[in-house]
Amino acid sequence: VSTPSPQPSEADVETARVRLAEIAAEIADCRKCPLHRTRTKTVPGQGFPRPEILFVGEGPGQDEDRQGLAFVGRAGALLTRMIVAMGLTRDEVFIANVVKCRATENYEMVKDRAPTLDEMRACLPYLRAQIAALRPRVIVTLGNAALEGLLGLKGITRLRGQWREYEGIPLMPTYHPSFLLRGGGDDTARYWEVWDDLCAVLRRIGREPPPRTRPR
Ligand code: URA
Ligand code: SF4
């Protein structure tokens, strides 16, 4: 796999935009796994069609399911602050999930749960197709589900911060923002581990990481 050109042309961006819209339309009609029964909206993911960085989370929560957009709830707010701390904006990256429909414990739709391996397997062709269109220079997986769904690897606390590869694209596993929020938010040792991982990502795409700043 060749390294994608860092500067896609406007035509390249438009081609990817069209392809991503096609994939999103397929997802909207998808019934390949039981999650289709309880979803409000599908959440294909959104952002720049030819980004340098693709973030991959677990799956939609309640806010995402209502809006049809990835990472728009509390975890999304922290992810946004991290992206800004990197010197980037949400509009220049792409943000997606391993599953495109919300997974809950039961039909009361109250408590979210991680997607099962079967659900991730059923959904993975969409993310693969998105990655083929996006051609990111780096993939950042957030948390256990994305790491297991994409690479079949378990154990984010052991594996975070170590470069992997997905289809020839460098992949950096790091913690999920929800995990950081449960552990105290921005000002914890875990946050700075994530920050180190994100600095490694910036260096990989030839950007100088900004000084350690708390995301605000
Ligand atoms: N958590 C995720 O993993 N993905 C989202 O889109 C929102 C919260
Ligand atoms: Fe289809 Fe994925 Fe939704 Fe399951 S989670 S119904 S595979 S789009």
Side-chain angles (χ1 to χ4, degrees), residues 111-186:
K111 198 171 182 308
D112 291 344
R113 63 164 171 82
T116 65
L117 210 48
D118 281 347
E119 288 158 356
M120 291 195 287
R121 283 204 189 105
C123 210
L124 199 58
Y126 298 121
L127 182 58
R128 286 176 67 109
Q130 288 176 316
I131 291 170
L134 293 161
R135 300 181 62 195
R137 296 179 70 195
V138 177
I139 298 171
V140 178
T141 57
L142 303 167
N144 263 313
L147 181 62
E148 189 173 9
L150 272 179
L151 295 183
L153 298 172
K154 281 190 191 214
I156 187 64
T157 46
R158 191 168 46 89
L159 298 177
R160 68 141 275 277
Q162 298 173 29
W163 284 107
R164 305 273 157 182
E165 238 181 52
Y166 184 76
E167 315 235 311
I169 301 165
L171 182 151
M172 174 57 76
T174 197
Y175 294 135
H176 194 288
S178 298
F179 179 63
L180 299 182
L181 288 171
R182 287 196 298 275
D186 300 353

Side-chain angles (χ1 to χ4, degrees), residues 43 57-61 64 69-73 75-76 96-97 176 178:
V43 181
E58 176 176 297
E64 291 78 19
L69 295 168
F71 280 100
V72 288
N97 287 300
H176 194 288
S178 298

Side-chain angles (χ1 to χ4, degrees), residues 42-158:
T42 52
V43 181
Q46 76 278 349
F48 189 61
R50 286 293 306 275
E52 295 198 294
I53 306 174
L54 164 65
F55 290 92
V56 181
E58 176 176 297
Q62 187 173 51
D63 297 307
E64 291 78 19
D65 175 73
R66 283 182 182 160
Q67 297 182 45
L69 295 168
F71 280 100
V72 288
R74 241 162 73 75
L78 178 52
L79 178 60
T80 304
R81 295 203 298 279
M82 298 189 317
I83 290 167
V84 170
M86 293 170 81
L88 302 167
T89 67
R90 278 179 70 122
D91 292 344
E92 16 179 3
V93 301
F94 200 90
I95 304 176
N97 287 300
V98 267
V99 299
K100 312 301 190 185
C101 304
R102 183 183 178 206
T104 55
E105 295 280 2
N106 52 44
Y107 288 97
E108 282 85 68
M109 302 280 292
V110 179
K111 198 171 182 308
D112 291 344
R113 63 164 171 82
T116 65
L117 210 48
D118 281 347
E119 288 158 356
M120 291 195 287
R121 283 204 189 105
C123 210
L124 199 58
Y126 298 121
L127 182 58
R128 286 176 67 109
Q130 288 176 316
I131 291 170
L134 293 161
R135 300 181 62 195
R137 296 179 70 195
V138 177
I139 298 171
V140 178
T141 57
L142 303 167
N144 263 313
L147 181 62
E148 189 173 9
L150 272 179
L151 295 183
L153 298 172
K154 281 190 191 214
I156 187 64
T157 46
R158 191 168 46 89

Side-chain angles (χ1 to χ4, degrees), residues 182-194:
R182 287 196 298 275
D186 300 353
D187 195 15
T188 63
R190 274 182 204 151
Y191 176 80
W192 295 116
E193 288 183 308
V194 172

Side-chain angles (χ1 to χ4, degrees), residues 27 30-33 35-36 39 99-101 122-123 126:
I27 292 168
C30 180
R31 295 171 174 214
K32 287 199 295 177
C33 91
L35 297 184
H36 81 269
R39 73 186 176 212
V99 299
K100 312 301 190 185
C101 304
C123 210
Y126 298 121

